[in-house]
Amino acid sequence: MTLTEHARYSWGGDEFLLVEIAPDMSLEANFVANAMAAGLEEQELDGIVDICPANASLLIRFNPDELPHADLERAVRALEAEVKQATVQELETRIIEVPVWYDDPFTSETETRFREGYHQRPEGSDLDYSAEVNGLANAAEFIQRHHETPWLVSMVGFVAGLPFLFQLTPRERQLQVPKYLSPRTDTPPLTLGYGGCFTAHYSVRGAGGYQMLGITPSPIFDPEQKLADFADFMVLFRTGDIVKYRPIDEAEYTEIQAEVEAGTYRYKQAPVRFTLAEALADPDAYNRTLLEALDVA
């Protein structure tokens, strides 16, 4: 593992402990954050209020009247060592298929309103620009590169239910796209965006600065929990989830929207065990294994 021996621990007032596992995002750092979060949940320590894993860090909210600072830090440091020294580093998770209408008219219309003064390249589209900065032939090639490999949900937040996703592919093949020069004041709900090395899945309409790639017909945030996939919680994604995007056309987009409205839509998904060593040793072969789980779902 290419991480430092020990994470950086700091306190936020009386109620928060921040564990900075690494200064930047990596599959290894994110695995440690998720594994530590899962371990803390299993321990069920009295006084812990919330556990929030992020790209390369872990934030813990706790009640100091129930759990003294020193006791919490001691428990978390022991868990960090256990996760890093584990012979087999695995997470029980799931893979979810998400349909996407790439290059749709809704994000295209929004782009035209936020070009001059907002975007690096006022002419063209966000997809054209994304292809260009990655040295690809055209938008179609960028779309292909985006959906052909799975993605890891590295964190959820900032806006309710909004996931950030990290591409499961060698770093030299990862897509990299700058954000807008100045954020938009509008983004269609369920837009799929790209900024830096992350895909962001906008859960609601609002401001945003990521390049817009397309739109999805199915919700990822359901406060009323109308759909079966939200029976346990109003947010679809959890950190550690694996996502496979599937391109769809306008006809299927409309069909899925009708199923959502009728309350019958279900995401295609399957349980998987994510093994860090295998993912790092041969990413292409391991991705095929992950995708096979969806084939039989």
Side-chain angles (χ1 to χ4, degrees):
M1 187 173 280
T2 57
L3 303 176
T4 57
E5 184 178 0
H6 300 293
R8 181 174 180 266
Y9 287 68
S10 56
W11 302 97
D14 294 330
E15 298 181 356
F16 294 92
L17 172 61
L18 176 64
V19 184
E20 296 176 271
I21 297 159
D24 53 10
M25 170 69 189
S26 68
L27 192 56
E28 298 98 316
N30 190 250
F31 177 90
V32 171
N34 285 323
M36 289 179 67
L40 275 178
E41 288 183 358
E42 290 177 3
Q43 290 183 17
E44 297 182 337
L45 297 178
D46 291 337
I48 289 186
V49 178
D50 202 3
I51 303 167
C52 183
N55 292 329
S57 63
L58 178 68
L59 181 66
I60 305 161
R61 186 180 182 186
F62 67 103
N63 183 342
D65 293 329
E66 297 181 36
L67 182 59
H69 292 71
D71 292 351
L72 174 61
E73 183 173 350
R74 189 180 306 112
V76 177
R77 285 188 182 276
L79 185 57
E80 178 195 353
E82 179 184 329
V83 167
K84 289 182 175 179
Q85 294 168 10
T87 303
V88 179
Q89 295 168 319
E90 295 181 330
L91 281 176
E92 297 293 337
T93 185
R94 57 184 177 163
I95 183 167
I96 306 172
E97 182 181 87
V98 177
V100 184
W101 184 8
Y102 288 98
D103 200 13
D104 67 285
F106 307 109
T107 55
S108 295
E109 185 278 329
T110 304
E111 288 176 15
T112 62
R113 293 189 278 119
F114 295 96
R115 302 310 288 182
E116 197 70 46
Y118 291 87
H119 202 278
Q120 296 91 334
R121 183 177 153 182
E123 70 282 359
S125 69
D126 288 7
L127 276 166
D128 291 335
Y129 175 73
S130 299
E132 179 183 299
V133 297
N134 282 279
L136 305 178
N138 49 39
E141 185 178 354
F142 183 90
I143 291 170
Q144 176 71 29
R145 288 276 299 276
H146 187 267
H147 72 72
E148 67 185 359
T149 57
W151 295 75
L152 175 73
V153 176
S154 59
M155 63 177 287
V156 180
F158 184 69
V159 175
L162 187 154
F164 292 84
L165 303 103
F166 186 73
Q167 194 172 26
L168 293 178
T169 193
R171 187 174 292 268
E172 64 272 12
R173 300 207 318 255
Q174 284 185 340
L175 300 169
Q176 300 276 342
V177 186
K179 296 188 291 185
Y180 274 40
L181 293 175
S182 181
R184 303 177 303 274
T185 56
D186 190 22
T187 306
L190 301 179
T191 289
L192 209 63
Y194 211 106
C197 65
F198 294 102
T199 287
H201 197 143
Y202 289 74
S203 53
V204 295
R205 183 178 184 179
Y210 279 30
Q211 309 289 336
M212 294 181 289
L213 312 182
I215 198 166
T216 66
S218 47
I220 59 173
F221 176 56
D222 183 6
E224 297 179 1
Q225 297 176 266
K226 293 180 178 179
L227 297 178
D229 290 318
F230 297 86
D232 295 331
F233 193 48
M234 66 181 69
V235 171
L236 176 68
F237 294 116
R238 301 188 291 264
T239 53
D241 279 345
I242 297 168
V243 172
K244 171 61 171 68
Y245 291 111
R246 179 175 65 85
I248 60 173
D249 57 16
E250 181 178 4
E252 188 171 359
Y253 177 88
T254 303
E255 179 182 321
I256 293 174
Q257 276 196 319
E259 292 179 19
V260 171
E261 186 64 27
T264 60
Y265 181 76
R266 294 299 304 267
Y267 279 96
K268 185 178 181 181
Q269 56 182 285
V272 293
R273 177 180 291 116
F274 181 80
T275 305
L276 180 62
E278 293 180 16
L280 293 173
D282 190 343
D284 294 330
Y286 193 65
N287 286 346
R288 289 194 293 270
T289 301
L290 292 173
L291 296 178
E292 286 172 0
L294 273 179
D295 293 337
V296 298

